[in-house]
């Protein structure tokens, strides 16, 4: 028995639901699929997603107000009727035709109450103006199982993860994290703090939606605002992320304002590289550090 929960926003989620439905039916299990659109504009995607309601055991609903990324997931969990919850991002798609079976089998021979299957990206290069998202994903999210097993908390994402419902009820997603960024890290660090083990298996889902580089860069502005929020509220510790480790070293050396000034000078050069067809992740990391110093020195 499994509840498949898919938060979405202005995205055609029907193909994902149809594939998950086909696989669940083939396994002869009790299941439900619930898709929650977080009050995105009414458009063609809304009309397409409404067809989900015509599929047995599947439900599409649209929030009247925007709940935010964390609270939308929490609301979905509250509606789930089964003991195991599979959280899928709307812009993912199972790699394996036995994707659902693999998760079912993992529950039989593992003790963990949280199981991450992995995220992968296609090898084909995208359009030039989508390269930053693809390069970042291939390097930072498309992690082989052997490496994930060596550091299970560090390499877990919430975009393709099976979790026992009681875990999600006891450790909900932070409702203050409204926009993109760090909701997964905060959730995973909460599990680590409570010593709740995360199992890793080979059961990847493709990440499909490659935003334009300019949009992806702007989303990271939002994510770093979230990082500042959770640091200021002591939700996570300075040592919990590589970026905050460096930031607090700079802070101890009274160099945050200097780095912020340097970022202001170099921002245009950084941006030109990151929006090019050959963006550098090293420059991206410098950009993120500089921007984080900037918003913390105001």
């Amino acid at each position: 028995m499994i509840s498949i929960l898919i938060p979405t926003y202005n995205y055609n989620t029907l193909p994902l639901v149809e594939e998950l439905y086909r696989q669940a039916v083939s396994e002869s299990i009790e299941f439900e699929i619930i898709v929650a659109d977080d009050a995105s504009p009414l458009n063609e995607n809304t009309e397409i997603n409404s067809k989900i309601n015509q599929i047995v055991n599947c439900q599409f609903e649209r929030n009247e107000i925007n709940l935010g990324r964390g609270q939308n997931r929490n609301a979905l969990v509250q509606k789930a009727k089964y003991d195991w919850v599979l959280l899928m991002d709307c812009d993912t798609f199972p790699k394996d035709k036995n994707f659902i079976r693999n998760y079912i089998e993992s529950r039989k021979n593992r003790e963990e109450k949280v199981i991450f299957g992995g995220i992968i990206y296609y090898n084909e290069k995208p359009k030039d103006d989508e390269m930053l998202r693809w390069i970042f994903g291939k390097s930072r999210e498309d992690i082989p199982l052997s490496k994930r097993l060596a550091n299970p908390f560090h390499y877990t994402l919430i975009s393709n993860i099976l979790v026992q419902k009681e875990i999600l009820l006891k450790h909900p997603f932070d409702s203050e994290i409204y926009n993109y960024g760090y909701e997964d890290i905060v959730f995973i660090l909460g599990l680590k703090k409570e010593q709740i083990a995360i199992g890793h298996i080979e059961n990847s889902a493709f990440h499909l939606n490659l935003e334009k580089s300019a949009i992806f860069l702007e989303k990271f502005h939002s994510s770093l605002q979230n990082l500042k929020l959770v640091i200021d509220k002591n939700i996570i510790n300075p040592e919990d992320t590589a970026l905050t480790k460096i930031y607090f070293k700079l802070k101890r050396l009274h160099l945050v304002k200097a780095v912020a000034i340097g970022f202001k000078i170099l921002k245009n050069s950084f941006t030109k590289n990151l929006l090019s067809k050959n963006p550098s992740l090293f420059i991206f990391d410098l950009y993120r550090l500089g921007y984080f110093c900037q918003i913390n020195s105001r």
Side-chain angles (χ1 to χ4, degrees):
M1 298 187 293
I2 187 172
S3 294
I4 302 172
L5 308 180
I6 308 171
T8 190
Y9 186 87
N10 194 23
Y11 194 83
N12 178 6
T13 316
L14 181 61
L16 173 61
V17 171
E18 290 176 331
E19 176 63 19
L20 294 172
Y21 172 81
R22 184 195 66 77
Q23 292 196 23
V25 168
S26 69
E27 297 303 317
S28 300
I29 59 171
E30 293 184 51
F31 73 95
E32 64 178 348
I33 302 175
I34 309 176
V35 179
D37 181 291
D38 201 15
S40 66
L42 293 171
N43 56 25
E44 182 182 6
N45 285 328
T46 315
E47 184 178 347
I48 293 171
N49 287 335
S50 66
K51 296 177 182 178
I52 292 170
N53 289 316
Q54 300 172 16
I55 306 173
V56 177
N57 297 332
C58 298
Q59 177 183 347
F60 170 74
E61 54 190 45
R62 180 176 176 274
N63 300 335
E64 293 185 3
I65 59 171
N66 187 274
L67 300 179
R69 295 172 68 88
Q71 193 55 37
N72 192 28
R73 286 187 173 90
N74 292 337
L76 276 167
V77 171
Q78 291 287 342
K79 293 169 184 174
K81 63 182 179 181
Y82 295 124
D83 292 337
W84 284 88
V85 166
L86 175 59
L87 287 170
M88 297 283 294
D89 275 3
C90 61
D91 57 356
T92 59
F93 199 85
K95 175 187 177 184
D96 198 321
K97 294 299 181 182
N98 294 319
F99 179 79
I100 295 296
R101 179 184 301 173
N102 293 339
Y103 270 130
I104 293 172
E105 291 299 317
S106 73
R107 286 165 38 192
K108 296 178 182 179
N109 52 31
R110 308 185 70 98
E111 295 182 357
E112 297 97 341
K113 297 180 179 180
V114 182
I115 302 171
F116 177 54
I119 290 294
I120 56 175
Y121 286 72
Y122 288 107
N123 291 323
E124 295 80 10
K125 289 185 176 182
K127 299 175 184 177
D128 289 351
D129 62 357
E130 297 173 342
M131 286 297 294
L132 180 60
R133 182 68 183 93
W134 181 75
I135 288 176
F136 179 87
K138 289 287 287 181
S139 175
R140 305 287 171 83
E141 297 175 345
D142 188 340
I143 307 298
L145 179 61
S146 58
K147 191 172 181 179
R148 289 194 274 125
L149 288 171
N151 197 342
F153 289 101
H154 184 71
Y155 292 117
T156 297
L157 301 171
I158 59 174
S159 44
N160 169 29
I161 191 168
L162 183 69
V163 188
Q164 201 166 51
K165 183 181 176 181
E166 66 176 22
I167 298 293
L168 291 167
L169 293 175
K170 291 179 181 177
H171 306 278
F173 294 98
D174 193 317
S175 59
E176 290 193 57
I177 299 181
Y178 189 82
N179 296 313
Y180 172 87
Y182 286 92
E183 69 272 18
D184 51 351
I185 292 176
V186 170
F187 174 71
I188 298 304
L189 288 174
L191 299 184
K192 184 178 182 180
K193 182 178 179 181
E194 297 297 324
Q195 297 183 321
I196 298 172
I198 299 177
H200 284 252
I201 63 173
E202 191 65 78
N203 199 32
S204 298
F206 284 106
H207 181 276
L208 302 180
N209 186 28
L210 294 177
E211 305 113 326
K212 293 186 182 299
S213 298
I215 294 174
F216 184 61
L217 191 61
E218 185 61 33
K219 285 175 70 174
F220 256 95
H221 291 173
S222 168
S223 75
L224 293 173
Q225 294 282 357
N226 285 345
L227 180 59
K228 183 179 187 305
L229 170 70
V230 296
I231 286 289
D232 290 346
K233 290 182 173 292
N234 297 313
I235 296 173
I236 68 174
N237 298 316
E239 298 298 311
D240 285 333
T241 75
L243 190 151
T244 51
K245 282 182 183 179
I246 297 173
Y247 167 76
F248 277 94
K249 286 181 181 178
L250 294 172
K251 188 174 182 179
R252 287 193 295 269
L253 295 171
H254 305 286
L255 292 175
V256 170
K257 286 189 176 181
V259 172
I261 292 170
F263 172 71
K264 184 177 180 180
I265 295 170
L266 295 171
K267 183 179 179 181
N268 288 341
S269 296
F270 286 169
T271 302
K272 183 177 180 180
N273 172 271
L274 297 176
L275 301 186
S276 73
K277 63 180 181 180
N278 293 304
S280 163
L281 283 185
F282 175 70
I283 290 178
F284 185 53
D285 289 339
L286 291 178
Y287 185 102
R288 292 167 61 222
L289 177 62
Y291 182 82
F292 193 64
C293 287
Q294 184 181 78
I295 62 177
N296 278 282
S297 60
R298 292 170 180 168

